[in-house]
Amino acid sequence: NSRNKDTIKILKEYSEKNRKIKVKFLDENYGISGNTNECLAMVTGEYIGLFDHDDLLTPDALFEVVSVINSKDKPDFIYSDEDKVDEHSLRLFDPHFKPDFSPDTLRSYNYITHFSVFSKELLEKAGNFNQECDGSQDYDIILRMTEKANKIVHIPKVLYHWRTHMNSVALNPESKRYAFEAGKRAIGHHLDRIGLKGKVRDGKFLGGYKVDYDL
């Protein structure tokens, strides 16, 4: 929801150059979940890929994802490894080599985070982004989709560069404490949906959580 005239001009230019680029101007800012849901309503393809606006995909990212989609297993949820990139897109650091799908690990922190690809059909089963979890809305929707997914695939390659700056959670977790409270709510809703009884509390680091299960 930008009112910057230069931004609007550039968006219009790109949408006119390539019909695959779709732009929709909203009358108001609906927040991160509401704005993303407006984008999801414009999707016409079978699969959807999510990543942040200032981050980078590797040149082979889409090739690797489509290779997995075209496999005989026909996955409905895909994620990859990632690292971080500095503000000038020059230095790559802090690689995150993730496990294959692990629900217990996912309940302790959002290890899937960015560049997740999922089928439109799976999203329709799970439902759109939930404004109640803004700040950790991606965590909430990943939990909901992985609950219903038939086949989850982890690509063990760095396909995503997460940009860092002093106000980003990637580099400075203290910058968005509200996001971690939203994360606890997301896990609490997840436990209710799957019928596990327990209480969610902060873990040993910001963005980490501990579930005390009722035995």
Side-chain angles (χ1 to χ4, degrees), residues 31-147:
I32 190 165
S33 290
N35 292 344
T36 306
N37 288 337
E38 291 288 330
C39 290
L40 293 174
M42 298 164 67
V43 170
T44 55
E46 290 180 45
Y47 281 82
I48 299 164
L50 288 180
F51 69 103
D52 283 4
H53 66 284
D54 57 345
D55 298 339
L56 302 173
L57 297 179
T58 62
D60 61 335
L62 298 182
F63 171 84
E64 294 290 350
V65 169
V66 172
S67 294
V68 169
I69 289 172
N70 288 339
S71 69
K72 61 181 179 181
D73 294 327
K74 202 70 176 175
D76 47 6
F77 190 93
I78 304 155
Y79 66 97
S80 74
D81 294 343
E82 66 187 38
D83 60 15
K84 295 186 175 70
V85 63
D86 66 14
E87 291 178 80
H88 307 291
S89 304
L90 296 175
R91 187 170 72 94
L92 301 176
F93 61 100
D94 198 13
H96 184 186
F97 302 118
K98 305 171 187 177
D100 286 346
F101 182 61
S102 170
D104 285 310
T105 305
L106 189 59
R107 287 181 205 125
S108 65
Y109 78 110
N110 181 10
Y111 76 86
I112 291 177
T113 57
H114 299 116
F115 195 44
S116 52
V117 177
F118 43 88
S119 69
K120 189 177 181 183
E121 183 180 355
L122 177 62
L123 178 70
E124 289 168 352
K125 290 178 186 174
N128 281 354
F129 282 85
N130 178 7
Q131 205 159 10
E132 185 187 340
C133 294
D134 271 5
S136 284
Q137 72 290 332
D138 52 347
Y139 195 7
D140 172 65
I141 204 165
I142 286 169
L143 286 165
R144 283 191 278 125
M145 286 196 287
T146 53
E147 289 164 18

